[in-house]
């Protein structure tokens, strides 16, 4: 008989990613009638890359302002496979984003030939943090790099902020800029796994932003970025499109991926959670383009720090389950860490993060979102395959995976105000369970 273990996080107790011991398991027929959550390992879906977060300048700078001991604690609590959440993915911005200390680029104004390209600013905070994370993880972090805006002089509005578009005459130079970045990071000992074309290309933001229509993104990838990546010997670096919200991701993915010449360069579609929880749109993109991939590339709680809030963790859990059940292959949180203000952010777009570092008191706060993410990242291993589930329990959200080591990880979330009894069943065996109100549990089933 298999060994069934349970890990629990619950709002109304001190349990935070706490092992609850071994479950009593019976044959499925021996468990009383009632609502069942049945795991179906014969049904298989996507393979998961992993889980992680973004190495923004705001994060790296914040960690430089607390004691080395607290900084090390945060890195360990995220990236250590045993003590932490086991993060294996990361995201980094190509020059500045809103969670940088200011607008900046890697070249001097007007340098079309990119002769002045220099990432020395990243060597101050960001690159050392990535190296320390990789050392703690025991392997390279799978890194996605994304631009928020081309240099101001390459744009129609002459400003890195407030939208604007890339001027046609700079498409080649901007394409080469990505390759310069990738090579510079490789020289710094950080392999870049993939790039997205543009962060949030449909939003005019008060911070670093740049607008592309679906057709403009298609043409840029097909005629400039894709060929340039190949010419520069970087065909092994994956290109992601969209990198924005789920609400219109079907039409935006279709605009690029319906063109075979553009699609040949594209690994898949990146998406965010703002505006919409239309998880079915993620699944529809898979149905339309089953040979392409899907990756959740950004999500965070907006509106400043929410210390102690429980709805933030539930938002993370609900979104991760909803996307995983619709063919998503990995999860990238936004800022790994922010300071006590929810920044720094050079335009005041303050947000929350799973870990908040109080730089004045030299203390570190772990929000509910930290623990909710851990229910996935600690127990669903890179290379895990999603498997089927049969349930009609409206108050429970659930997803299930078979790990490369043969174990199963089943995550179940209860957002309701009432405890929810159910029977968890796998392979003719079952356990009677009750999930407390406002809680999440991971069940690890080992042969």
């Amino acid at each position: 008989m298999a060994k069934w273990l349970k890990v629990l996080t619950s709002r109304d107790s001190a349990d935070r990613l706490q092992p609850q011991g071994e479950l009593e398991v019976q044959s499925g027929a021996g468990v009383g009638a009632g609502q069942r959550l049945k795991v179906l390992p014969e049904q298989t879906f996507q393979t998961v890359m992993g889980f992680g977060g973004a190495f923004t300048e705001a994060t790296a700078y914040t960690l430089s302002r607390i004691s080395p001991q607290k900084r090390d604690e945060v890195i360990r609590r995220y990236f250590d496979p045993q003590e932490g959440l086991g993060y294996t993915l990361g995201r980094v911005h190509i020059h500045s984003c809103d969670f940088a200390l200011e607008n900046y680029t890697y070249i001097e104004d007007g340098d079309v030939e990119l002769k002045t390209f220099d990432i020395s600013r990243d060597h101050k905070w960001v690159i050392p943090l990535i190296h320390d994370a990789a050392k703690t993880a025991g392997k390279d972090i799978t890194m996605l790099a994304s631009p928020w805006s081309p240099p101001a002089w390459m744009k129609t509005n002459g400003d890195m902020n407030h939208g604007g578009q890339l001027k046609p005459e700079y498409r080649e130079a901007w394409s080469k800029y990505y390759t310069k970045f990738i090579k510079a990071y490789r020289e710094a000992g950080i392999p870049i796994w993939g790039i997205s074309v543009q962060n949030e290309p449909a939003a005019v933001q008060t911070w670093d932003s740049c607008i592309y229509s679906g057709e403009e993104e298609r043409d840029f990838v097909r005629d400039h970025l894709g060929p340039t990546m190949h010419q520069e010997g970087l065909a092994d670096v994956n290109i992601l499109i969209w990198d924005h919200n789920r609400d219109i991701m079907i039409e935006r993915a279709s605009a690029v991926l319906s063109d075979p010449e553009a699609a040949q360069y594209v690994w898949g579609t990146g998406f965010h959670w703002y505006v919409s929880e239309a998880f079915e749109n993620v699944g529809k993109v898979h149905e339309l383009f089953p040979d392409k991939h899907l990756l959740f590339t950004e999500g965070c709680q907006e509106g400043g720090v929410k210390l102690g809030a429980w709805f933030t963790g539930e938002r993370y859990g609900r979104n991760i389950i909803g996307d995983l059940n619709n063919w998503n292959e990995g999860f990238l949180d936004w800022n790994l860490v922010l300071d006590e203000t929810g920044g720094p952010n050079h335009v005041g777009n303050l947000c929350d993060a799973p870990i908040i570092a109080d730089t004045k008191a030299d203390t570190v706060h772990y929000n509910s979102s930290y623990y909710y993410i851990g229910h996935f990242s600690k127990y669903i291993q890179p290379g895990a395959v999603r498997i089927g589930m049969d349930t009609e329990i409206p108050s429970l959200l659930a997803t299930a995976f078979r790990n490369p080591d043969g174990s199963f990880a089943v995550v179940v979330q209860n957002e309701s105000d009432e405890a929810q009894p159910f029977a968890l069943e796998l392979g003719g065996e079952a356990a009677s369970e009750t999930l407390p109100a406002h809680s999440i549990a991971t069940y690890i089933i080992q042969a």
Side-chain angles (χ1 to χ4, degrees):
M1 188 171 281
K3 185 177 183 180
W4 295 40
L5 305 171
K6 176 183 178 181
V7 177
L8 179 69
T9 292
S10 176
R11 185 191 67 181
D12 298 328
S13 77
D15 290 320
R16 301 290 186 271
L17 272 180
Q18 287 299 306
Q20 303 294 301
E22 197 169 340
L23 301 184
E24 182 180 339
V25 182
Q26 308 172 45
S27 70
V31 174
Q35 294 181 304
R36 289 177 180 249
L37 196 161
K38 188 172 184 180
V39 182
L40 306 171
E42 66 276 9
Q43 295 181 5
T44 58
F45 302 92
Q46 78 274 23
T47 299
V48 168
M49 293 173 56
F51 301 82
F55 295 88
T56 60
E57 186 175 68
T59 286
Y61 173 66
T62 295
L63 288 175
S64 77
R65 297 168 64 213
I66 59 176
S67 65
Q69 293 81 6
K70 289 294 183 182
R71 180 181 181 276
D72 290 346
E73 175 191 321
V74 169
I75 295 169
R76 190 173 65 253
R77 291 286 298 271
Y78 267 134
F79 292 94
D80 189 283
Q82 279 75 46
E83 292 184 52
L85 299 192
Y87 272 12
T88 59
L89 305 186
R91 188 178 184 216
V92 66
H93 44 95
I94 298 175
H95 60 229
S96 64
C97 67
D98 52 327
F99 280 93
L101 304 187
E102 61 191 337
N103 291 126
Y104 64 89
T105 72
Y106 301 127
I107 57 173
E108 295 176 5
D109 285 357
D111 179 14
V112 179
E113 296 182 2
L114 312 182
K115 290 181 179 179
T116 59
F117 194 93
D118 180 10
I119 63 163
S120 59
R121 180 179 180 126
D122 291 17
H123 280 281
K124 188 170 186 180
W125 297 305
V126 174
I127 287 173
L129 177 58
I130 297 171
H131 279 308
D132 289 344
K135 183 178 179 180
T136 301
K139 58 184 175 182
D140 286 333
I141 307 298
T142 300
M143 294 293 300
L144 172 70
S146 305
W148 266 242
S149 172
W153 54 270
M154 289 189 184
K155 296 174 65 184
T156 55
N157 65 344
D159 185 357
M160 289 187 75
N161 305 333
H162 307 105
Q165 294 170 291
L166 176 66
K167 291 181 177 179
E169 62 265 34
Y170 294 124
R171 288 171 184 161
E172 283 301 317
W174 183 229
S175 296
K176 193 76 174 290
Y177 199 102
Y178 297 74
T179 68
K180 286 273 194 182
F181 175 86
I182 294 165
K183 291 178 179 180
Y185 261 62
R186 282 184 173 178
E187 289 174 8
I190 299 171
I192 298 295
W193 166 86
I195 56 169
S196 61
V197 178
Q198 167 64 42
N199 178 73
E200 301 188 344
V204 175
Q205 307 283 24
T206 57
W207 56 85
D208 319 57
S209 47
C210 184
I211 299 299
Y212 290 78
S213 68
E215 293 71 29
E216 287 167 340
E217 188 171 14
R218 174 198 66 198
D219 295 350
F220 180 64
V221 170
R222 182 190 64 206
D223 302 334
H224 303 281
L225 183 59
T228 298
M229 293 282 285
H230 279 247
Q231 290 160 13
E232 293 293 319
L234 298 173
D236 60 318
V237 178
N238 299 287
I239 297 176
L240 282 72
I241 57 168
W242 188 221
D243 206 4
H244 205 167
N245 298 329
R246 303 183 190 99
D247 55 344
I248 58 170
M249 69 181 291
I250 299 170
E251 62 189 78
R252 290 296 301 243
S254 298
V256 180
L257 298 179
S258 295
D259 183 323
E261 290 185 47
Q264 68 177 319
Y265 297 114
V266 177
W267 176 84
T269 303
F271 61 97
H272 302 178
W273 77 17
Y274 313 107
V275 177
S276 166
E277 291 191 1
F279 306 121
E280 66 275 8
N281 288 354
V282 182
K284 287 174 184 174
V285 172
H286 170 78
E287 291 171 13
L288 288 169
F289 308 101
D291 59 328
K292 298 299 182 182
H293 304 271
L294 291 156
L295 180 65
F296 183 89
T297 49
E298 184 188 317
C300 75
Q301 177 60 45
E302 312 92 325
V305 174
K306 304 285 189 292
L307 282 187
W310 204 256
F311 77 91
T312 55
E314 292 186 329
R315 182 184 186 185
Y316 273 80
R318 183 174 65 249
N319 276 266
I320 295 173
I321 291 172
D323 289 331
L324 288 174
N325 286 344
N326 280 279
W327 297 89
N328 178 39
E329 297 174 31
F331 175 88
L332 276 163
D333 186 28
W334 188 208
N335 300 278
L336 290 163
V337 181
L338 291 173
D339 70 16
E340 64 278 3
T341 71
N345 182 290
H346 71 88
V347 296
N349 178 36
L350 302 176
C351 293
D352 199 15
I355 297 180
I356 296 295
D358 188 327
T359 60
K360 296 176 180 177
D362 194 33
T363 55
V364 175
H365 302 275
Y366 296 87
N367 281 323
S368 61
S369 49
Y370 172 86
Y371 299 102
Y372 270 70
I373 296 169
H375 276 270
F376 304 88
S377 63
K378 280 183 72 70
Y379 305 108
I380 300 172
Q381 302 162 7
V385 175
R386 182 168 68 90
I387 55 179
M389 297 201 68
D390 183 10
T391 178
E392 294 182 354
I393 309 175
S395 60
L396 295 181
L397 303 172
T399 191
F401 289 81
R402 181 194 287 113
N403 284 315
D405 66 6
S407 67
F408 296 91
V410 184
V411 186
V412 187
Q413 177 168 327
N414 178 14
E415 287 189 58
S416 76
D417 294 329
E418 303 294 332
Q420 176 63 62
F422 66 98
L424 180 62
E425 186 174 338
L426 169 65
E429 298 178 348
S432 293
E433 263 299 290
T434 298
L435 201 56
H438 298 286
S439 69
I440 186 170
T442 302
Y443 299 90
I444 304 103
I445 303 172
Q446 302 167 334

